[in-house]
Amino acid sequence: VLIMSNFEDADTEETVTCLQMTLYHPGHQQSGIFQSIRFFNREKHHNSEMVKFGRNSNTCHYTFQDKQVSRVQFSLQLFRKFDSPVVCFEIKNMSKKTNLIVDNRELGYLNKMDLPDRCMIRFGNYQFLVEKEDGQSLEFFEIQFFLSKRPLLQETSWLPQPMPECGNYSSCVTQNNSPMEVGENDW
């Protein structure tokens, strides 16, 4: 008689894609801006959910206690590119009054783009460092928040950088020898 343990007989559990978001706001300690965010917990969402961030607790999954934040500031939605097993996220600016900056790309109201696997999202005094941890599940994804007590970017790099005349940064050779404040791998 062959007896299998529960461990050997159990189905293999799929890993779940997780967006890890490190948040920063200069007034986070005094104002309770992030009081409704559950830090360190991985919160599971169904693949069909459009996850909204803003100040309206009736429509947003994640709320900020701040009148400077729009009722719905931005949304994230999971998708899969054609002929790809990897899931990605799309970010859409839902604010009429504040542009959303993803890395150095500025999104106006209702503009959307694919969210890079590692990027910086900014609006007002908010900074979010977002890092995607890939998983196999196509049914669910998770979001996990961390709090930074220090700015994630220096103040002078807040403004979007103009695109060079040659079309993109990597193909241009510049004579500027001044130090960069934040390198791509320095986050």
Side-chain angles (χ1 to χ4, degrees):
V1 173
L2 180 62
I3 300 174
M4 295 180 90
S5 72
N6 286 343
F7 175 77
E8 293 169 335
D9 197 28
D11 289 334
T12 304
E13 191 171 318
E14 285 184 311
T15 58
V16 177
T17 297
C18 183
L19 276 185
Q20 296 176 331
M21 304 180 90
T22 303
L23 310 182
Y24 172 77
H25 186 279
H28 74 273
Q29 289 179 314
Q30 296 85 18
S31 62
I33 287 172
F34 298 132
Q35 69 186 13
S36 64
I37 304 290
R38 293 176 42 211
F39 288 98
F40 307 109
N41 298 322
R42 290 174 77 124
E43 296 187 28
K44 191 177 271 191
H45 298 275
H46 194 267
N47 65 4
S48 63
E49 282 185 74
M50 180 183 291
V51 180
K52 295 176 184 170
F53 296 74
R55 80 167 189 264
N56 187 334
S57 60
N58 294 324
T59 56
C60 294
H61 293 83
Y62 300 107
T63 58
F64 307 110
Q65 313 302 315
D66 182 354
K67 290 180 181 163
Q68 299 300 311
V69 173
S70 293
R71 286 180 199 92
V72 180
Q73 190 73 44
F74 68 93
S75 66
L76 294 173
Q77 188 164 25
L78 186 77
F79 74 98
R80 197 174 74 178
K81 290 187 178 182
F82 188 72
D83 284 339
S84 173
V86 179
V87 295
C88 304
F89 290 88
E90 174 182 88
I91 185 167
K92 183 193 291 186
N93 184 12
M94 303 294 287
S95 173
K96 291 179 182 176
K97 64 180 182 179
T98 306
N99 285 347
L100 189 68
I101 300 169
V102 180
D103 286 338
N104 284 324
R105 194 163 177 190
E106 195 167 349
L107 301 178
Y109 177 57
L110 296 181
N111 289 150
K112 64 181 183 176
M113 66 179 277
D114 293 358
L115 191 68
D117 288 350
R118 181 183 173 96
C119 65
M120 184 69 65
I121 299 171
R122 299 174 288 158
F123 61 93
N125 288 327
Y126 291 83
Q127 299 176 20
F128 295 38
L129 173 61
V130 179
E131 299 174 277
K132 185 180 90 167
E133 183 182 285
D134 284 303
Q136 294 116 357
S137 175
L138 297 178
E139 297 296 316
F140 298 99
F141 64 94
E142 296 174 332
I143 298 180
Q144 183 177 29
F145 292 99
F146 300 96
L147 180 63
S148 175
K149 295 182 182 191
R150 295 190 182 144
L152 301 167
L153 285 178
Q154 298 299 320
E155 287 295 321
T156 56
S157 62
W158 273 75
L159 298 173
Q161 301 299 312
M163 185 61 73
E165 288 183 22
C166 61
N168 63 38
Y169 295 104
S170 59
S171 63
C172 288
V173 177
T174 62
Q175 300 301 317
N176 186 356
N177 292 329
S178 63
M180 281 184 56
E181 291 185 9
V182 177
E184 186 173 304
N185 298 321
D186 294 336
W187 296 355

